[in-house]
């Protein structure tokens, strides 16, 4: 690990000005991603801004939902009784990720800002546009088992690895950020971005900004939801493909469908037009098949991940069936209904 | 001073480790795991992968289990740390240590300190109510000898004892 200076920020203002004033500064929260990357010299901040002293550790009930501080741990969020009751999809998705120890350390802000697990990104001996803009992408034509099938570019085919973010995308969460120019809200679907020709940017956070909270608003399915994650082993592994589903069913017909896919793109993947196809229909096999076909219409394999297209189709079908039946996947039960 | 090279300045921190207060000066890039093993010679906590992938380095920080390899020691200023050395001693074993022995829940023993700290954390978290939940909530600890069945037995035993005690 490279040497760095260390600053324990005493206020959001202090953190923001330290980050804004130094392009080589990075903030650290739980450390479970950043310390890992620093050990590989993938990240080598000149200044590490420790934000753990900031007052961002609370889950507050608002008129319409919850405001979750950026430093709330993944465990505290997943087991929060109000969140479990009103946004069970989010709780379930968090429990599908990482391990109990990691979730105890990992924070809400750190989770949404975690970086890709692309093998080449992690290996400074290879070329990677995300790690070193303009250097090339050794993943293309390389080992691509975990790479994107949707929204990739010539510059980068990486995926976003978070489970929590897939649920936040399905739930239309809002990201609150604060920076040198003040505060602003970012719709969750606009937070992460596709790689295009600037894959070094994972998201739309501006220089010097920090995430202060995530807001959950409005109504979410109490029964008709599921987080279904398929991976190379049954626990403690990143998703190959996952789906977060939130349905509203009235008189046997779908009146609202929100479906986000994980493991398939540079951001949690949603297609609002495709979701519209489900509205007004019974949750039948035909409706589901048509939806899956539409959602995956632009899917393209890279060789090693071609299987993901079929896998995604099956995950979508299974997950919609689970959500429609009101039998969400339970993360410690490994059989898939 | 954005362009100045990083200094070699150490940071003063205080940790209470296994009940004993330590006033330390640490380089900010020292992981909690390296501090425990290299500086304080508490070698019970093991380094398996050093990247959060195995759980051998699990310790309790303010009673909560985390991977000490992915935490910088400076981030934990003021915390109470419990390692395997602080859970029990050969003369006075922690009940979880005894359960691991009784259930033969180890072979080489390398993963064991992390398994035991993790299991103690699991019990105090209170989210495991079945064998399937124990397995899932112990999944952050790999055992290359494959002692999983007996590890789950040991944890189940302690949870059952606890439930019985609570019922009485
Ligand atoms: C072995 C292993 C397995 C894992 N498996 C999974 C899995 O299956 N599913 C899954 O979803 N995740 C998984 N993870 C990833 C884990 O969820 C993340 O490492 C964690 O959520 C990051 O949170 P943190 O607080 O530790 O972030 P940190 O490491 O502290 O920070 C991560 C990044 O976010 C930035 N950051 C932190 N806080 C903020 C903020 N408030 N505003 C802006 N930027 C910020 C940091 O600068 C850094 O770039 C795994 C990790 C490991 C090591
Ligand atoms: S896919 Fe993206 S992250 Fe991976 S090597 Fe290519 S540019 Fe880097
Ligand atoms: S040494 Fe920390 S998880 Fe492996
Ligand atoms: S007992 Fe050998 S690794 Fe677990």
């Amino acid at each position: 690990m490279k040497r760095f200076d260390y600053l324990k920020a005493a206020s959001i203002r202090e953190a923001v000005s330290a980050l804004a004033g130094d392009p080589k500064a990075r903030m650290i929260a739980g450390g479970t991603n950043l310390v890992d990357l620093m050990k590989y010299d993938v990240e080598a901040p000149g200044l590490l801004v420790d934000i753990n002293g900031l007052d961002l550790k609370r889950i507050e009930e608002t008129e319409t939902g919850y405001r979750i501080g950026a430093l709330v741990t993944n465990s505290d969020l997943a087991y929060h009784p109000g969140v479990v009751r009103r946004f069970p999809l989010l709780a379930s998705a968090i429990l599908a990720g990482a391990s109990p120890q990691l979730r105890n350390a990992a924070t809400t802000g750190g989770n949404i800002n975690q970086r890709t697990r692309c093998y080449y990104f992690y290996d400074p001996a290879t070329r990677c546009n995300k790690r070193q803009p303009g250097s090339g992408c050794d993943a293309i034509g390389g080992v691509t088992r975990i790479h994107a099938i949707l929204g990739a570019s010539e510059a980068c085919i990486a995926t976003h690895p978070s489970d929590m973010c897939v649920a936040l995308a399905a739930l239309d969460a809002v990201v609150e950020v604060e920076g040198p120019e003040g505060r602003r809200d970012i719709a969750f679907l606009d937070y992460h971005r596709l790689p295009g020709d600037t894959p070094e940017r994972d998201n739309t956070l501006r220089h010097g900004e920090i995430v202060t909270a995530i807001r959950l608003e409005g109504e979410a399915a109490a029964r008709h939801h599921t987080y279904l994650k398929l991976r190379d082993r049954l626990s403690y592994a990143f998703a190959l493909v996952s789906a977060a589903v939130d349905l509203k069913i009235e008189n046997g017909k779908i009146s609202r469908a929100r479906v986000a896919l994980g493991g398939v793109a540079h951001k949690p993947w949603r297609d609002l037009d495709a979701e519209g196809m489900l509205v007004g229909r019974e949750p039948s096999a035909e409706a589901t098949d048509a939806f899956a076909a539409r959602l995956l219409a632009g899917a393209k394999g890279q060789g090693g991940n071609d299987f993901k297209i079929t896998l995604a189709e099956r995950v979508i079908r299974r997950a919609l069936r689970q959500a429609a039946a009101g039998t969400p996947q339970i993360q410690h039960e490994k059989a898939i209904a | 001073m954005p362009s100045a090279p990083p200094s070699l300045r150490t940071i003063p921190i205080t940790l209470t480790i296994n009940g004993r207060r330590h006033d330390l000066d640490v380089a900010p890039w020292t992981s909690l795991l390296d501090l425990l093993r290299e500086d304080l010679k508490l070698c019970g906590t093991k380094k398996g992968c050093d990247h959060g992938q195995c759980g051998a380095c699990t310790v309790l920080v303010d009673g909560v289990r985390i991977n000490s390899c992915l935490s910088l020691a400076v981030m934990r200023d003021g915390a109470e740390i419990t390692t395997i050395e602080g859970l029990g001693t050969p003369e006075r074993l922690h009940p979880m240590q005894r359960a691991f022995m009784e259930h033969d829940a180890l072979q080489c023993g390398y993963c064991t300190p992390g398994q035991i700290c993790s299991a103690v954390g699991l019990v105090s978290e209170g989210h495991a109510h079945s064998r399937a939940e124990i397995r899932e909530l112990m999944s952050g600890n790999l055992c290359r000898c494959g002692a999983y069945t007996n590890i789950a037995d040991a944890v189940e035993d302690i949870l059952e004892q606890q439930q019985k005690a609570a019922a009485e």
Side-chain angles (χ1 to χ4, degrees):
Chain A
M1 198 186 293
K2 299 272 198 303
R3 273 157 45 187
F4 54 84
D5 283 322
Y6 173 82
L7 171 74
K8 179 126 193 182
S11 65
I12 296 179
R13 188 168 289 267
E14 188 186 10
V16 165
S17 78
L19 290 161
D22 183 347
K24 290 201 70 189
R26 288 281 183 284
M27 72 196 103
I28 190 159
T32 60
N33 187 225
L34 188 57
V35 173
D36 190 22
L37 290 167
M38 286 166 66
K39 287 183 180 186
Y40 287 112
D41 291 340
V42 172
E43 295 270 18
L47 172 68
L48 197 65
V49 180
D50 185 345
I51 62 171
N52 284 295
L54 306 184
D55 178 22
L56 300 171
K57 297 193 175 110
R58 277 172 294 144
I59 301 179
E60 295 158 323
E61 193 155 3
T62 63
E63 257 172 46
T64 49
Y66 289 100
R67 185 171 182 278
I68 302 147
L71 291 171
V72 170
T73 66
N74 290 179
S75 295
D76 285 347
L77 182 52
Y79 292 116
H80 183 274
V83 172
V84 170
R85 187 164 33 80
R86 289 186 53 191
F87 300 96
L89 172 60
L90 176 62
S92 181
I94 294 171
L95 293 181
S99 70
Q101 289 98 311
L102 288 162
R103 296 193 294 264
N104 284 344
T107 65
T108 308
N111 191 311
I112 75 170
N113 288 289
Q114 65 174 298
R115 316 238 29 214
T116 185
R117 308 302 289 201
C118 171
Y119 328 113
Y120 301 92
F121 174 72
Y122 261 83
D123 179 359
T126 65
R127 293 176 304 166
C128 167
N129 288 323
K130 189 181 276 299
R131 178 167 31 76
Q132 207 181 349
S135 65
C137 169
D138 274 342
I140 297 174
V143 179
T144 56
R145 184 169 177 79
I146 63 172
H147 289 81
I149 52 171
L150 287 163
S153 72
E154 309 252 290
C156 179
I157 58 170
T159 54
H160 194 268
S162 167
D163 292 297
M164 185 180 90
C165 289
V166 185
L168 289 174
L171 293 168
D172 294 305
V174 176
V175 185
E176 290 183 15
V177 309
E178 190 163 334
E181 274 124 53
R183 298 186 190 179
R184 63 187 180 114
D185 283 353
I186 308 173
F188 200 81
L189 297 185
D190 297 329
Y191 188 76
H192 297 99
R193 58 188 293 284
L194 293 178
D197 52 15
T198 50
E200 67 275 16
R201 291 183 55 221
D202 295 347
N203 54 51
T204 52
L205 204 63
R206 294 183 197 137
H207 180 66
E209 281 182 331
I210 86 169
V211 172
T212 52
I214 299 274
R215 284 203 315 272
L216 291 172
E217 292 170 339
E219 180 202 27
R223 269 189 70 221
H224 295 294
H225 65 88
T226 195
Y227 187 72
L228 180 60
K229 173 179 181 181
L230 296 194
R231 43 191 150 172
D232 276 328
R233 62 180 181 203
L234 291 176
S235 191
Y236 201 10
F238 287 93
L240 287 167
V241 177
S242 69
V245 179
D246 171 285
L247 297 180
K248 188 168 180 185
I249 299 183
E250 288 171 302
N251 304 322
K253 294 214 169 90
I254 298 172
S255 59
R256 184 192 62 214
R258 300 188 289 187
V259 181
L261 299 182
V264 296
H266 201 254
K267 59 184 290 189
W269 192 264
R270 264 188 81 182
D271 181 335
L272 305 186
D273 292 336
E275 289 169 11
M277 293 169 50
L278 289 169
V279 174
R281 302 196 57 176
E282 283 171 18
S284 63
E286 300 81 69
T288 306
D289 287 354
F291 170 74
R294 172 73 174 271
L295 195 54
L296 297 170
K300 187 174 157 285
Q302 299 286 339
N305 66 352
D306 292 350
F307 73 95
K308 273 193 182 182
I309 301 175
T310 312
L311 193 64
E313 212 177 283
R314 293 177 183 168
V315 168
I316 296 166
R317 257 194 249 138
R318 284 282 182 92
L320 279 170
R321 203 167 7 159
Q322 289 183 337
T327 53
Q329 182 69 34
I330 293 169
Q331 299 307 340
H332 63 264
E333 278 171 15
K334 300 305 174 182
I336 298 169
Chain B
M1 302 171 295
S3 53
S7 65
L8 286 170
R9 194 167 60 94
T10 55
I11 314 277
I13 62 168
T14 302
L15 295 175
T16 303
I17 302 171
N18 299 332
R20 229 187 96 205
R21 183 190 157 110
H22 293 256
D23 295 303
L24 304 156
D25 280 303
V26 297
W29 46 87
T30 311
S31 69
L32 177 58
L33 175 59
D34 285 347
L35 176 81
L36 293 170
R37 289 183 54 85
E38 306 296 329
D39 298 347
L40 301 174
K41 306 297 174 204
L42 289 166
C43 297
T45 308
K46 299 296 184 238
K47 182 183 284 195
C49 64
D50 213 19
H51 289 282
Q53 299 177 359
C54 75
C57 65
T58 303
V59 299
L60 300 162
V61 174
D62 296 327
V64 174
R65 53 179 165 156
I66 66 160
N67 308 78
S68 60
C69 68
L70 291 187
S71 188
L72 298 173
V74 281
M75 291 162 56
R76 302 297 171 180
D77 186 16
E80 276 193 37
I81 316 271
T82 306
T83 68
I84 190 73
E85 291 93 341
L87 278 181
T89 61
E91 298 74 40
R92 281 168 152 265
L93 291 175
H94 184 281
M96 191 64 78
Q97 290 173 312
R98 191 171 310 113
F100 266 61
M101 287 173 64
E102 283 167 2
H103 289 275
D104 200 14
L106 56 138
Q107 289 176 41
C108 77
Y110 196 81
C111 71
T112 312
Q115 298 277 3
I116 292 176
C117 286
S118 189
V120 170
L122 172 150
V123 171
S124 74
E125 286 159 13
H127 302 303
H129 309 288
S130 66
R131 179 96 180 175
E133 282 168 303
I134 292 171
R135 293 293 303 257
E136 175 68 10
L137 296 175
M138 284 298 289
S139 70
N141 294 83
L142 303 192
C143 173
R144 258 32 233 139
C145 300
Y148 296 112
T149 309
N150 295 1
I151 292 169
D153 287 346
V155 179
E156 202 171 10
D157 191 354
I158 295 293
L159 276 177
E160 273 166 16
Q161 285 181 34
Q162 204 194 33
Q163 275 157 10
K164 253 186 233 148
E168 271 158 24

